[in-house]
């Protein structure tokens, strides 16, 4: 039997990365956060002083982008031209850049093979927006993890406050809605639930319950295959 791929997609702030990371650790799968790759490209664009809506500038940046993924103590680290940018990509500014660059077809094509190849080397749990629909359409387990706008904004707000970032709840809610709109209305690989994905709404359940639910879905789906 080949390796098992689990695709987890959904909008920002649904708890995808926390839930996916915990579930992967429990199962001994490699966790792949594809959003970090878009964020690293966003960071490269930002550092070159290029605006997020300058498509030609974004495309011209790609040949200068060298991405590498490393795992340290089970944690994914992303390297941009040799520099570990795992922390630098976690700001609201870079989140916005990531969303903008992710709408550019050349950027998606640039990352497609890298992401597909990662699924060839072992059992993985990959999270993103188009994993079940575009990157791994044959994944035996697909989950669409979502929550209400307010629940997602509340979680993201607390996360940013904990990191000491100066934000207001309304700002975070506005940014989340803006990103949702951008991610789900773009022409290439928009955020969409795959037809064969299981929908999991985490608005009213705890993090622990979300992780349990994801593990249950994975077990059920992989049992069915045996
Ligand atoms: O999950 P995240 O917030 O780190 O993602 C950052 C941005 O990258 C988000 O706006 C959508 C985009 N993205 C994407 O288009 N496709 C993916 N597979 C993952 C992220």
């Amino acid at each position: 039997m080949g390796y098992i791929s689990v695709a987890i997609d959904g909008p920002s702030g649904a708890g995808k990365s926390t839930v996916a990371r915990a579930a992967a650790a429990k199962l001994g799968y490699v966790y792949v956060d594809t959003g970090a790759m878009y964020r690293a490209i966003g960071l490269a664009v930002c550092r070159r002083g290029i605006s997020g809506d300058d498509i030609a500038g974004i495309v011209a940046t790609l040949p200068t982008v060298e991405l590498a993924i490393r795992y340290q103590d089970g944690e994914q680290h992303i390297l941009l031209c040799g520099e570990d940018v795992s922390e630098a990509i976690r700001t609201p500014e870079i989140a916005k850049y990531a969303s903008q660059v992710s709408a550019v077809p050349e950027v998606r094509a640039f990352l497609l093979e890298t992401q597909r190849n990662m699924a060839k080397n072992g059992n993985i749990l990959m999270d993103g927006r188009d994993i079940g629909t575009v990157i791994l359409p044959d994944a035996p387990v697909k989950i669409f993890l979502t929550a209400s706008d307010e629940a997602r904004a509340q979680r993201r707000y607390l996360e940013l406050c904990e990191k000491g970032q100066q934000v207001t709840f309304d700002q975070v809610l506005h940014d989340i809605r803006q990103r949702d709109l951008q991610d789900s209305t773009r022409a290439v690989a928009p955020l969409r639930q795959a037809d064969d994905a299981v929908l999991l709404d985490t608005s009213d359940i705890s993090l622990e319950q979300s992780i349990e639910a994801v593990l249950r879905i994975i077990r059920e789906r992989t049992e069915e295959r045996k």
Side-chain angles (χ1 to χ4, degrees), residues 12 16 34-36 38-39 90 95 98-99 102 108 128-131 179 183 186:
S12 47
K16 276 196 318 285
T34 61
Y38 289 96
R39 285 172 181 262
R90 302 286 159 201
S99 181
S102 73
R108 306 205 72 86
R129 302 295 189 286
D130 62 337
I131 311 306
R179 276 221 279 159
D183 295 344
R186 68 181 174 219

Side-chain angles (χ1 to χ4, degrees), residues 85-224:
V85 293
S86 312
E87 280 299 312
I89 58 172
R90 302 286 159 201
T91 67
E93 187 193 15
I94 298 306
K96 191 161 169 237
Y97 263 98
S99 181
Q100 288 173 304
V101 303
S102 73
V104 178
E106 286 85 347
V107 172
R108 306 205 72 86
F110 181 81
L111 293 176
L112 184 110
E113 280 310 310
T114 309
Q115 293 173 354
R116 277 198 185 148
N117 284 335
M118 294 185 88
K120 292 183 183 152
N121 301 323
N123 294 331
I124 58 150
L125 199 155
M126 188 176 279
D127 90 17
R129 302 295 189 286
D130 62 337
I131 311 306
T133 51
V134 177
I135 305 295
L136 305 173
D138 299 327
V141 189
K142 296 182 187 176
I143 299 170
F144 195 80
L145 199 82
T146 191
S148 67
D149 303 355
E150 288 79 8
R152 291 186 287 124
Q154 182 62 24
R155 290 174 193 162
R156 188 49 58 95
Y157 172 67
L158 292 175
E159 220 174 84
L160 291 170
C161 287
E162 265 172 30
K163 286 185 187 166
Q165 296 192 14
Q166 301 286 320
V167 285
T168 65
F169 174 78
D170 287 344
Q171 229 171 17
V172 176
L173 181 62
H174 173 266
D175 286 357
I176 276 196
R177 287 183 171 153
Q178 203 51 36
R179 276 221 279 159
D180 282 356
L181 185 71
Q182 194 153 0
D183 295 344
S184 54
T185 56
R186 68 181 174 219
V188 257
L191 170 65
R192 180 176 76 72
Q193 181 180 346
D195 297 335
D196 51 351
V198 177
L199 177 69
L200 180 61
D201 187 324
T202 67
S203 306
D204 301 316
I205 59 174
S206 70
L207 186 60
E208 287 69 28
Q209 289 170 319
S210 307
I211 297 166
E212 272 313 308
V214 163
L215 288 169
R216 197 169 53 242
I217 294 166
I218 296 173
R219 279 193 205 106
E220 281 168 8
R221 287 271 170 127
T222 48
E223 280 298 313
E224 281 167 17

